């Protein structure tokens, strides 16, 4: 098997002290190689009819209100979506080769592979052999948005859906290398609406800002600020969450976020993670929607929409499968729906305490 290979230069993690990368994130008049490769490969597979539906034809609107929630009408995605084949009660579960995983997709769904370069230079190799430890980019045949792909680290090693510092570094490097503010990368843990127990991130392009990206925040003070790392919590967003902004040391921020996520996994706490602004901002949302669902604590009005608050939905991009729900969607309804996924005040304060202890140990 041969695919295009993109080597990511060690521009970010090769140098432990960097200037914040947020200012470099923009929409290119001329695309860079990785941005162009991703979209050209996605367009090629779309033109071959691999997608289950034309996501660009789905009706989309901004729901009136202060949050700017984005609503999409897409009945096909729900009808043809992969069924969840594991128990949502356990965030960490062993990989099961008998269940669906990304080694079972068709070869035509594989777009290209990425790997870290030995130096700071990026390189596109148009045809290279695929090895077991390669990181694959796979088209999502049931896309939420334009350019929707999956990043599967070390795909043929068959790792379970469990984030670690190496996979998070890879996702951040990819976001930085694409260098397009329309491009976001997301992660859903088991119990937070990952549908496949095989380590993967999601990524897509969205022209509008996600509501969570412009939501009001307040800084969580701590000695980690001396190293430039900034940690925020949301002031009035329906789901309690945390925002990390890179200072002068991207490696340090990545270590804090990865260690925090690993701690959530060990504590069996489901979460969603969003990488935006070309890797300079990371959002983490511990959540409990699935847990409340199993305990019959969610109103039927919310369940009947079949909206599962995974990373894109938590970010404010809501996919409805029924015309009625889409037409009648209000800001208050979406806010109340997302709030069901949020931790209560006491549990979130415990999570913040866990995080601050991790940040102080790593940064101070």
């Amino acid at each position: 098997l041969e695919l295009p290979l993109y080597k990511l230069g060690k521009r970010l993690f090769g140098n432990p002290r960097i200037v914040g990368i947020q200012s470099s994130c923009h929409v290119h008049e001329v695309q860079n190689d990785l941005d162009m490769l991703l979209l050209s490969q996605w367009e090629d597979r779309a033109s071959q009819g691999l997608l289950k539906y034309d996501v660009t034809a789905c009706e989309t609107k901004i729901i009136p209100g202060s949050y700017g929630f984005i609503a999409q009408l897409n009945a096909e995605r729900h009808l043809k979506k992969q069924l969840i084949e594991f128990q949502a009660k356990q965030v960490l579960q062993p990989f099961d080769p008998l269940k669906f995983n990304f080694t079972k997709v068709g070869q035509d769904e594989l777009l290209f592979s990425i790997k870290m370069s030995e130096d700071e230079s990026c390189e596109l190799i148009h045809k290279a052999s695929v090895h077991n430890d390669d990181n694959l980019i796979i088209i999502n045949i049931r896309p939420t948005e334009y350019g929707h792909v999956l990043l599967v680290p070390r795909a043929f090693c068959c790792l379970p859906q469990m984030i670690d510092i190496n996979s998070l570094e890879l996702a951040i490097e990819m976001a930085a290398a694409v260098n397009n503010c329309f491009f976001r990368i997301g992660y859903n843990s088991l119990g937070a609406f990952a549908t496949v127990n095989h380590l993967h991130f999601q990524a897509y392009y969205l022209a509008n800002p996600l509501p969570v990206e412009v939501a009001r925040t307040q800084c969580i003070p701590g000695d980690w600020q001396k190293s430039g790392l900034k940690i925020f919590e949301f002031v009035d967003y329906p789901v309690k969450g945390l925002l990390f902004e890179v200072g002068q040391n991207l490696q340090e921020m990545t270590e804090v976020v990865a260690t925090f996520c690993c701690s959530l996994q060990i504590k069996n706490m489901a979460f969603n993670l969003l990488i935006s602004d070309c890797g300079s901002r990371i959002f983490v949302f511990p959540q409990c929607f699935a847990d409340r669902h199993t305990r019959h604590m969610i109103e039927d009005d919310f369940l009947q929409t079949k909206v599962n608050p995974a990373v894109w939905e938590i970010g404010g991009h809501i996919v409805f499968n029924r015309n009625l729900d889409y037409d009648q969607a209000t800001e208050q309804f979406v806010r109340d729906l997302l709030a069901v996924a949020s931790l209560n005040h006491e549990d979130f304060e415990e999570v913040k305490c866990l995080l601050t202890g991790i940040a102080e140990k790593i940064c101070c």
Side-chain angles (χ1 to χ4, degrees):
L1 176 62
E2 293 184 325
L3 291 172
L5 168 65
Y6 190 88
K7 291 186 177 182
L8 299 167
K10 292 186 177 180
R11 304 179 314 281
L12 302 179
F13 289 97
N15 184 350
R17 305 296 296 178
I18 65 166
V19 177
I21 60 176
Q22 187 171 359
S23 61
S24 69
C25 182
H26 61 281
V27 180
H28 289 282
E29 292 182 4
V30 178
Q31 290 177 300
N32 66 39
D33 285 344
L34 182 55
D35 198 25
M36 187 179 300
L37 174 65
L38 193 159
L39 290 176
S40 64
Q41 292 282 350
W42 193 89
E43 289 275 9
D44 175 71
R45 301 312 193 279
S47 68
Q48 293 179 30
L50 261 63
L51 302 182
K52 298 297 183 181
Y53 47 81
D54 180 6
V55 71
T56 64
C58 292
E59 188 176 348
T60 300
K61 66 181 180 182
I62 305 296
I63 297 174
S66 59
Y67 288 98
F69 291 125
I70 304 164
Q72 181 192 102
L73 177 61
N74 187 344
E76 294 294 317
R77 186 167 192 269
H78 171 72
L79 292 174
K80 299 177 180 179
K81 194 172 182 180
Q82 176 71 33
L83 294 176
I84 297 176
E85 297 183 316
F86 49 84
Q87 292 295 319
K89 294 181 180 180
Q90 293 296 322
V91 172
L92 297 179
Q93 298 181 37
F95 180 88
D96 186 345
L98 298 180
K99 294 181 179 178
F100 176 81
N101 63 76
F102 299 114
T103 67
K104 298 182 179 183
V105 303
Q107 288 192 12
D108 50 358
E109 296 176 36
L110 309 180
L111 303 186
F112 58 95
S113 62
I114 60 174
K115 67 182 296 184
M116 298 304 302
S117 177
E118 297 299 321
D119 53 37
E120 295 184 3
S121 63
C122 297
E123 181 184 7
L124 172 59
I125 300 173
H126 292 281
K127 186 178 290 188
S129 297
V130 175
H131 301 98
N132 282 348
D133 61 348
D134 280 1
N135 310 298
L136 295 183
I137 306 300
I138 302 174
I139 193 167
N140 190 327
I141 61 174
R142 300 172 181 84
T144 299
E145 258 300 341
Y146 179 74
H148 195 165
V149 297
L150 304 168
L151 163 61
V152 185
R154 299 169 60 196
F156 294 104
C157 293
C158 298
L159 305 173
Q161 185 72 340
M162 181 178 69
I163 205 168
D164 60 15
I165 191 166
N166 292 325
S167 58
L168 184 59
E169 280 186 359
L170 178 67
I172 294 172
E173 281 280 12
M174 181 177 177
V178 171
N179 197 27
N180 185 329
C181 275
F182 293 162
F183 184 72
R184 282 84 163 190
I185 295 180
Y187 176 89
N188 301 314
S189 78
L190 301 187
F193 298 103
T195 56
V196 181
N197 185 21
H198 187 179
L199 180 57
H200 67 286
F201 294 79
Q202 313 240 1
Y204 73 9
Y205 291 79
L206 184 69
N208 297 89
L210 284 167
V212 75
E213 294 172 331
V214 294
R216 290 193 302 130
T217 60
Q218 63 183 19
C219 184
I220 301 175
D223 288 343
W224 52 82
Q225 291 174 297
K226 296 176 183 178
S227 68
L229 175 63
K230 297 177 182 178
I231 305 175
F232 303 86
E233 62 179 312
F234 292 93
V235 174
D236 189 33
Y237 198 70
V239 187
K240 291 178 172 62
L242 298 155
L243 166 61
F244 303 80
E245 287 190 355
V246 67
Q248 297 175 313
N249 191 328
L250 182 60
Q251 180 70 52
E252 193 171 73
M253 180 186 75
T254 305
E255 186 176 353
V256 169
V257 175
T259 304
F260 175 54
C261 291
C262 288
S263 297
L264 294 178
Q265 291 170 157
I266 292 170
K267 289 180 175 292
N268 199 36
M269 184 170 289
F271 65 93
N272 308 98
L273 178 146
L274 173 69
I275 301 170
S276 74
D277 288 338
C278 304
S280 66
R281 297 207 297 165
I282 301 178
F283 303 76
V284 179
F285 290 92
Q287 68 140 295
C288 55
F289 190 95
D291 179 61
R292 286 180 175 149
H293 189 188
T294 59
R295 291 189 284 155
H296 309 287
M297 297 174 61
I298 301 178
E299 296 178 18
D300 285 343
D301 286 350
F302 298 140
L303 296 177
Q304 287 173 6
T305 67
K306 294 184 170 59
V307 172
N308 293 330
V311 62
W312 309 130
E313 289 79 9
I314 294 288
H317 186 189
I318 315 299
V319 180
F320 293 101
N321 71 86
R322 299 191 307 185
N323 290 71
L324 179 66
D325 296 326
Y326 177 81
D327 293 338
Q328 296 184 354
T330 64
E331 179 177 83
Q332 188 62 52
F333 182 84
V334 172
R335 180 187 170 100
D336 292 344
L337 169 63
L338 294 181
V340 177
S342 181
L343 299 186
N344 61 35
H345 176 76
E346 181 180 345
D347 290 342
F348 187 65
E349 288 301 311
E350 289 185 13
V351 165
K352 282 169 55 181
C353 186
L354 173 67
L355 169 62
T356 55
I358 291 169
E360 287 175 354
K361 184 176 181 180
I362 292 174
C363 300
C364 304

